[in-house]
Amino acid sequence: MSTAEVAKRAEGNWRDDFLFGAWQMAPLLLAGIPFALILGTTAAAKGLSPAETGLMSAFVFAGSAQFIAAGLWTHPIPIFVVIATTWMVNLRHLLMSASIGPQMGRFSRRQSYFGLFFLADEIWAVALRRAAEGKLTPAYYFGQSLPFWVSWVFWSTTGNILGSTIADPSRYGFDYAFVAVFLVILFGFCRNRASLIPIVVSAATALIAWKLLPSVWYIFIGGIAGTVAAALIAKPETAWPDDAH
């Protein structure tokens, strides 16, 4: 059965739509396992227990922010530095929420708020592609996000337990997983030449900001630049009314 046939069959059925979301998310879920394992080993090296690592993954659920927090983790904990740095990294979630929020027309208010908690990069990308087809439902969204969340918590905790066993990620090719996953997400949005413009603008601006500014502001600045570029080249769906008539 083709993907289109599975999607059509799932429409209107909560269970089938949930499973279809999980199925479409499966490749990225598997690709996220190396991230989680490396996070767990990093946290273990900083003295965090498996329980602490698991709780951080469950309640923060933001890989880049967790990596930064684990990297800055010392005793005593530099609370202000950790909060400020992770806040800057997660500013991109404002842009992600702004783009996916209007697509949640089939969600109740409670479902929308609960769903935005799971808005990781991979989940956002898959959900937005589904929304472009006009078929983003709560069942589909939670089908893709809940298994991903469970996997992230499980494998980051497992990485902490394994500890120094996988202390060298490059030995297993885990370091390439970061690049591969985000290339897949990136090129999944490339429909034509015009769609490359925001990507190029965002990347160039982020690179310049990375060279000129301290900390991780380049992430947010690159995202803003790409958003502005996309807005400038977007074609309006309807024309403004003619005031002369």
Side-chain angles (χ1 to χ4, degrees), residues 33-197:
I33 292 176
F35 287 77
L37 287 171
I38 297 171
L39 172 64
T41 59
T42 303
K46 291 291 185 173
L48 276 74
S49 69
E52 289 169 333
T53 302
L55 287 171
M56 178 172 64
S57 291
F59 289 103
V60 178
F61 191 51
S64 54
Q66 289 180 248
F67 271 103
I68 288 175
L72 295 172
W73 203 271
T74 58
H75 296 284
I77 303 169
I79 295 177
F80 176 77
V81 175
V82 171
I83 292 176
T85 306
T86 54
W87 174 77
M88 283 190 288
V89 170
N90 280 345
L91 279 175
R92 73 188 190 284
H93 285 263
L94 293 176
L95 302 175
M96 291 161 60
S97 299
S99 65
I100 200 68
Q103 312 301 327
M104 291 180 160
R106 302 185 186 185
F107 290 59
S108 68
R109 179 171 295 184
R110 182 177 299 179
Q111 288 172 332
S112 297
Y113 290 149
F114 184 56
L116 289 174
F117 168 78
F118 297 103
L119 201 59
D121 299 278
E122 297 88 343
I123 292 168
W124 168 79
V126 176
L128 202 62
R129 290 189 65 182
R130 182 68 171 171
E133 302 170 356
K135 300 173 182 177
L136 182 62
T137 63
Y140 178 91
Y141 183 86
F142 290 115
Q144 62 167 144
S145 58
L146 288 177
F148 194 91
W149 177 81
V150 171
S151 176
W152 180 257
V153 174
F154 175 81
W155 287 109
S156 60
T157 304
T158 300
N160 185 286
I161 295 171
L162 293 175
S164 59
T165 305
I166 51 174
D168 182 12
S170 61
R171 178 182 176 186
Y172 305 96
F174 286 177
D175 53 336
Y176 180 71
F178 289 87
V179 179
V181 168
F182 285 100
L183 283 176
V184 169
I185 293 174
L186 182 66
F187 287 101
F189 288 101
C190 293
R191 305 280 183 178
N192 48 48
R193 291 183 180 179
S195 65
L196 287 173
I197 295 176

Side-chain angles (χ1 to χ4, degrees), residues 189-232:
F189 288 101
C190 293
R191 305 280 183 178
N192 48 48
R193 291 183 180 179
S195 65
L196 287 173
I197 295 176
I199 295 173
V200 173
V201 170
S202 181
T205 306
L207 182 61
I208 295 171
W210 175 67
K211 287 287 187 180
L212 300 178
L213 299 176
S215 192
V216 289
W217 278 106
Y218 65 91
I219 297 176
F220 183 64
I221 292 173
I224 288 291
T227 302
V228 172
L232 290 175

